[in-house]
Amino acid sequence: MATLYSNELKAVVLQEDFLENPLNVMKEKCQTVQHFDYCGEYRRNETGNLYGKSEPTLLTFTVRVNSMGQANSYFRSLASNDHFRFSFIFNATFNENQRLASYDDGMVVDGFIVNIDEVSSVKIADKGEASQPLLTIKLLVRSVTYLGNDHDLKCTFIQ
């Protein structure tokens, strides 16, 4: 099976909370995000603080998984009816040991997987057919924690 990696990853997703140990994130555990769609609406006061209830928010993302084991972990999350954390890391670079070296922004989304669509094979130009599934995952968002360049944590809870 062919594995696709790029030196210029716009966004990757990791099926854990990368904020617990950002320098220990291995490239092999990350999946490349092919598509990302998220729209949250919140009310804010004059100082910018959130108030009141927010609307339920769905985050939809498509990933290319490297192995069927990674795909199975998403399906197990769907079947468990429990909430999970997913880390989205934007403009990630990895060092020579394939560990996370730097990133521009990140966010950890806690939520429930409500749907998974799978495309089981992908054509790779000049190399034939590879078995790298594309998964489109819909996540009912429970909370979001943002981490920017300045490592300023900002947490938004969805009620």
Side-chain angles (χ1 to χ4, degrees):
M1 168 174 52
T3 301
L4 299 179
Y5 287 114
S6 170
N7 290 331
E8 296 181 21
L9 297 174
K10 296 296 182 192
V12 295
V13 65
L14 179 68
Q15 296 180 43
E16 59 189 54
D17 185 347
F18 88 106
L19 297 176
E20 293 176 2
N21 195 355
L23 298 178
N24 203 27
V25 173
M26 298 291 294
K27 187 175 184 178
E28 66 188 25
K29 289 186 174 182
C30 297
Q31 292 96 40
T32 303
V33 175
Q34 304 292 315
H35 172 76
F36 182 86
D37 182 36
Y38 166 68
C39 180
E41 293 185 24
Y42 312 102
R43 289 181 285 222
R44 296 185 183 271
N45 60 18
E46 296 96 32
T47 60
N49 294 324
L50 298 173
Y51 72 93
K53 290 190 173 194
S54 59
E55 295 296 318
T57 301
L58 281 178
L59 183 147
T60 303
F61 61 100
T62 301
V63 294
R64 181 184 310 273
V65 293
N66 298 323
S67 69
M68 288 311 294
Q70 286 178 337
N72 288 338
S73 66
Y74 283 107
F75 285 107
R76 281 193 304 272
S77 300
L78 173 65
S80 74
N81 286 332
D82 201 3
H83 63 94
F84 290 89
R85 290 190 173 146
F86 298 92
S87 297
F88 292 86
I89 307 169
F90 300 97
N91 294 319
T93 59
F94 295 86
N95 63 21
E96 62 278 354
N97 296 323
Q98 302 303 307
R99 293 189 186 278
L100 183 64
S102 67
Y103 57 93
D104 284 348
D105 297 298
M107 68 184 210
V108 178
V109 180
D110 188 322
F112 301 88
I113 294 179
V114 293
N115 189 40
I116 299 176
D117 291 323
E118 177 182 359
V119 176
S120 60
S121 64
V122 177
K123 293 277 188 187
I124 298 175
D126 300 327
K127 294 184 181 177
E129 183 98 9
S131 177
Q132 275 191 305
L134 282 175
L135 300 179
T136 300
I137 296 134
K138 287 189 180 179
L139 189 70
L140 180 61
V141 177
R142 185 172 171 223
S143 69
V144 180
T145 304
Y146 299 100
L147 182 64
N149 283 339
D150 55 3
H151 301 288
D152 181 29
L153 285 174
K154 183 176 183 181
C155 193
T156 302
F157 291 96
I158 311 250
Q159 302 172 352

